[in-house]
Amino acid sequence: MAVDICYIAMMIIPILVAIVLKIMTAVPTEGIAITGAQIYFTLPLPIQDLPITEAQINSWMVIISVTGLCLYLTHGMCTKKLLIRQHIAEWIVEKVDRLVEDGMGSYFAGFSPFIAAMLGLSAFSSLLSLCGLFPPTSDLNVVAGWAVLVFVLITFYKCKAGPLEYIKSFANPVAMAPLNIISELATPLSMAFRHYGNVLSGTVISVLIAAGMQGLSRLVLGWIPGALGDFPLFRIGLPAVLSVYFDIFSGCLQAYIFAMLTMMYVSGGFPYEAYMERKNKRNKKKNLEVM
């Protein structure tokens, strides 16, 4: 019981810390204020100073919270008396395993933890906006870091048949070599900008509509004296409905799309037949050396 309480606290406390930090460091503004991640402090470094922003802090808070959630769901697993959280954990594992097997094939079955972590980190990062916090997925630096990591994986698996074969693939055909190189480099850019742009646009649209509804309320009710004239009547309802789409549905959808693109690019770029042929040649060479 005490361990479960610690795990629950591990899920909740980081978000509360982020909210308190947001309140303590918030800069008062008038009217509509759409800005990037707030810079909390800067670390001096020899080449270039490193700003520690709201996006970085919130990313770590999400990582800690998701880790606490995973520990809570998997704590106390048994084969006799199954708890509800064990059913949830098994359901998540089964769904991700099936998703990876359908999207990548049995060879990439070991990718399930990576895809699950990507889905959880991206979705929960976008859902931070429901708590009034800056979603890390609205910062291009954060999403670009994920895209670069995925690009490294894509390149690694493309080189499985040999670095020379990977280089030759750009010249197939030779006339298309420049476009093939540009297309390869555009992969992380397209993944980063697609995720970042969709989440950021949803946040901006929600803020603009909320501000517009507040202005409409002031226009309609402004002639009434007292607190009733300042009451934002038209901000009740519509911004909340839009938040369901932009913050919940769109955020989870973008996490799913990013994971699907990762699986598609990694498995699609892996030269399985050339890799198996190279592997068989190595095995034959080793057997000849042993004999």
Side-chain angles (χ1 to χ4, degrees):
M1 186 66 178
V3 177
D4 291 338
I5 294 175
C6 291
Y7 290 151
I8 294 173
M10 189 177 177
M11 290 186 282
I12 298 174
I13 291 178
I15 306 302
L16 295 178
V17 170
I19 293 174
V20 172
L21 188 61
K22 173 79 172 180
I23 295 173
M24 293 178 61
T25 58
V27 179
T29 58
E30 295 182 1
I32 302 175
I34 302 175
T35 59
Q38 181 180 346
I39 298 177
Y40 287 137
F41 58 92
T42 302
L43 295 176
L45 296 177
I47 299 177
Q48 184 178 356
D49 293 342
L50 175 64
I52 304 300
T53 67
E54 193 176 3
Q56 294 166 302
I57 298 298
N58 291 349
S59 291
W60 278 105
M61 296 304 176
V62 170
I63 291 172
I64 296 172
S65 296
V66 172
T67 303
L69 176 62
C70 294
L71 292 174
Y72 175 75
L73 292 177
T74 56
H75 177 249
M77 282 189 165
C78 60
T79 56
K80 296 181 179 179
K81 186 179 180 181
L82 301 182
L83 301 175
I84 295 178
R85 60 185 177 185
Q86 182 170 342
H87 285 291
I88 296 174
E90 291 177 354
W91 179 82
I92 294 173
V93 171
E94 290 175 358
K95 290 298 181 182
V96 175
D97 284 344
R98 187 178 304 172
L99 179 68
V100 172
E101 185 176 356
D102 293 341
M104 304 182 76
S106 57
Y107 180 84
F108 292 95
F111 256 72
S112 295
F114 179 76
I115 297 300
M118 181 177 293
L119 285 168
L121 180 59
S122 178
F124 282 100
S125 294
S126 298
L127 292 176
L128 277 187
S129 58
L130 297 175
C131 302
L133 296 172
F134 181 86
T137 45
S138 292
D139 191 326
L140 181 59
N141 297 298
V142 174
V143 185
W146 301 351
V148 169
L149 175 61
V150 172
F151 182 68
V152 171
L153 286 174
I154 295 171
T155 306
F156 173 76
Y157 279 96
K158 283 186 175 181
C159 292
K160 278 283 191 175
L164 185 59
E165 293 296 326
Y166 172 65
I167 296 173
K168 286 182 179 179
S169 65
F170 291 105
N172 187 21
V174 178
M176 296 294 291
L179 291 179
N180 290 335
I181 295 173
I182 294 174
S183 176
E184 188 78 1
L185 297 176
T187 298
L189 292 176
S190 63
M191 293 183 68
F193 278 101
R194 179 184 289 107
H195 198 329
Y196 155 78
N198 282 282
V199 175
L200 179 63
S201 62
T203 303
V204 172
I205 292 173
S206 297
V207 171
L208 291 176
I209 291 178
M213 291 298 101
Q214 184 175 5
L216 182 61
S217 299
R218 189 178 297 112
L219 179 64
V220 175
L221 304 175
W223 59 273
I224 302 176
L228 187 59
D230 297 329
F231 183 71
L233 177 64
F234 294 104
R235 286 189 65 178
I236 301 174
L238 181 59
V241 173
L242 292 175
S243 179
V244 172
Y245 174 78
F246 289 119
D247 295 332
I248 300 177
F249 175 75
S250 180
C252 295
L253 178 63
Q254 293 308 317
Y256 177 77
I257 292 174
F258 194 88
M260 289 298 296
L261 288 175
T262 299
M263 293 189 293
M264 182 183 69
Y265 284 134
V266 172
S267 61
F270 176 55
Y272 181 76
E273 295 181 358
Y275 169 72
M276 294 304 297
E277 182 180 353
R278 187 188 186 200
K279 187 177 180 180
N280 292 333
K281 287 181 180 179
R282 285 184 173 182
N283 291 335
K284 289 181 180 179
K285 186 177 181 181
K286 287 182 180 179
N287 293 334
L288 291 174
E289 291 177 353
V290 172
M291 294 174 61

